[in-house]
Amino acid sequence: FSCFRQQYCGIILLYVIKNIILEENVLPSPIKTIANGVEKLFLPNNSFNTTLVSVNFYLPLSADNISKYALLPEILVTCSEDYPDYLKLNYKLSGLYGADAEANISKVGDCICIKFIASSINDRFALDGESPVSNTVQLLLDLIFKPKVKDGAFYDSDLKREKRKLIDRIKGDLNEKRAYARNRLIAEMFEDDPFGVYRLGKAEEVASITGKELYGAWKEMLETAFIRIHTIGEKENNTVYERITDELSKINRHNITD
């Protein structure tokens, strides 16, 4: 099993257990391929009033790229070409009935998973026939595919801010003894294995990343990552699939992570 197949099994197991507990007779849709290196998974759920969409990028994990990939999602979800600062982005999210957009990074076997997540109230609660789910998904994809860059590089002001925040998180794990012990144990157990690499990278490497290097990491993510789209909600929204296939059709996809 590949790293993301293992993760899929875990997702399905938790989903089935949850539905058994809630006595819901709802089963997940099968995984479907919608483009080269892109799959979708829909988990129907009527228990909540929101829909959650996550776009997951799987890339090979190594000590050479981890710091850039740890920094990348942090900067992508705080600004974009259309929303150049967090104030404007937050104002837009508030206008979407308090929608939420965030990102995180995790290790899945020998892969790194960069996950972008959007959450919105279901369309049936919106006024005047609006579709907050579609609009929130479009905003999330704008953050992924239309970053705030100039001349092939991220802006120094945005880079400096997010580097400081990430370095603080790394130092925080060093000062938190339980987290430090866990990370050191994993590093020792998997010394010669990619899984032993700390998921946030090294503070000194983060500090040295340039705007052009991060832009290169962004392009590499779009060109080579295996992509899995998860949707959990009342009904499946095709906006995310149509937009992603359209955006990826403009990109030279190659050496896709297996």
Side-chain angles (χ1 to χ4, degrees):
F1 280 49
S2 64
C3 57
F4 27 82
R5 292 290 177 187
Q6 293 177 30
Q7 188 186 48
Y8 166 70
C9 291
I11 292 171
I12 293 300
L13 179 60
L14 291 174
Y15 179 80
V16 170
I17 291 173
K18 173 259 178 192
N19 279 286
I20 289 174
I21 293 173
L22 295 179
E23 298 182 351
E24 294 183 9
N25 187 23
V26 182
L27 294 175
S29 300
I31 293 177
K32 294 182 180 179
T33 299
I34 61 173
N36 183 25
V38 184
E39 293 181 347
K40 70 170 184 174
L41 172 64
F42 174 55
L43 303 174
N45 190 304
N46 300 317
S47 302
F48 304 102
N49 297 326
T50 58
T51 293
L52 183 144
V53 176
S54 69
V55 183
N56 310 287
F57 293 82
Y58 296 88
L59 294 143
L61 172 61
S62 75
D64 296 330
N65 62 24
I66 189 63
S67 295
K68 287 181 285 189
Y69 285 147
L71 180 61
L72 182 60
E74 301 293 332
I75 199 169
L76 288 178
V77 293
T78 55
C79 58
S80 70
E81 181 181 297
D82 296 330
Y83 305 97
D85 58 60
Y86 190 70
L87 181 63
K88 293 180 180 177
L89 175 60
N90 197 46
Y91 183 80
K92 176 65 176 179
L93 289 168
S94 298
L96 293 171
Y97 300 89
D100 186 45
E102 60 184 69
N104 60 56
I105 187 169
S106 61
K107 295 188 296 185
V108 183
D110 290 344
C111 290
I112 193 76
C113 176
I114 303 176
K115 179 180 293 187
F116 299 91
I117 307 165
S119 178
S120 168
I121 65 166
N122 292 328
D123 290 346
R124 62 189 173 94
F125 296 107
L127 303 174
D128 303 323
E130 292 180 287
S131 178
V133 174
S134 293
N135 293 333
T136 302
V137 166
Q138 289 285 13
L139 175 59
L140 180 70
L141 297 178
D142 281 345
L143 296 175
I144 297 172
F145 291 103
K146 296 171 62 179
K148 179 186 171 186
V149 296
K150 182 179 181 181
D151 299 328
F154 285 89
Y155 282 78
D156 287 340
S157 56
D158 298 326
L159 194 64
K160 183 178 180 181
R161 179 190 66 242
E162 297 308 321
K163 283 163 72 169
R164 176 180 54 79
K165 289 163 59 178
L166 181 56
I167 290 171
D168 284 346
R169 288 178 61 193
I170 294 172
K171 291 180 177 178
D173 271 0
L174 289 174
N175 293 326
E176 170 51 55
K177 302 310 177 187
R178 286 178 296 181
Y180 175 76
R182 181 182 66 249
N183 293 330
R184 286 296 301 131
L185 176 62
I186 293 173
E188 291 296 329
M189 290 179 64
F190 299 92
E191 183 178 2
D192 300 319
D193 192 274
F195 189 76
V197 176
Y198 175 51
R199 68 182 182 89
L200 297 181
K202 297 179 179 179
E204 58 271 22
E205 292 179 357
V206 172
S208 66
I209 295 172
T210 66
K212 287 188 178 296
E213 289 174 338
L214 196 61
Y215 181 80
W218 170 73
K219 289 191 65 177
E220 185 177 49
M221 179 187 76
L222 297 183
E223 292 173 354
T224 66
F226 177 88
I227 303 171
R228 167 74 59 71
I229 305 161
H230 296 154
T231 303
I232 305 175
E234 283 185 331
K235 59 182 180 179
E236 199 166 13
N237 187 293
N238 290 320
T239 300
V240 61
Y241 312 137
E242 295 168 358
R243 172 73 184 278
I244 282 185
T245 52
D246 178 62
E247 292 288 352
L248 294 180
S249 67
K250 308 170 189 175
I251 298 170
N252 177 27
R253 295 270 287 165
H254 62 278
N255 298 331
I256 296 173
T257 303
D258 187 8

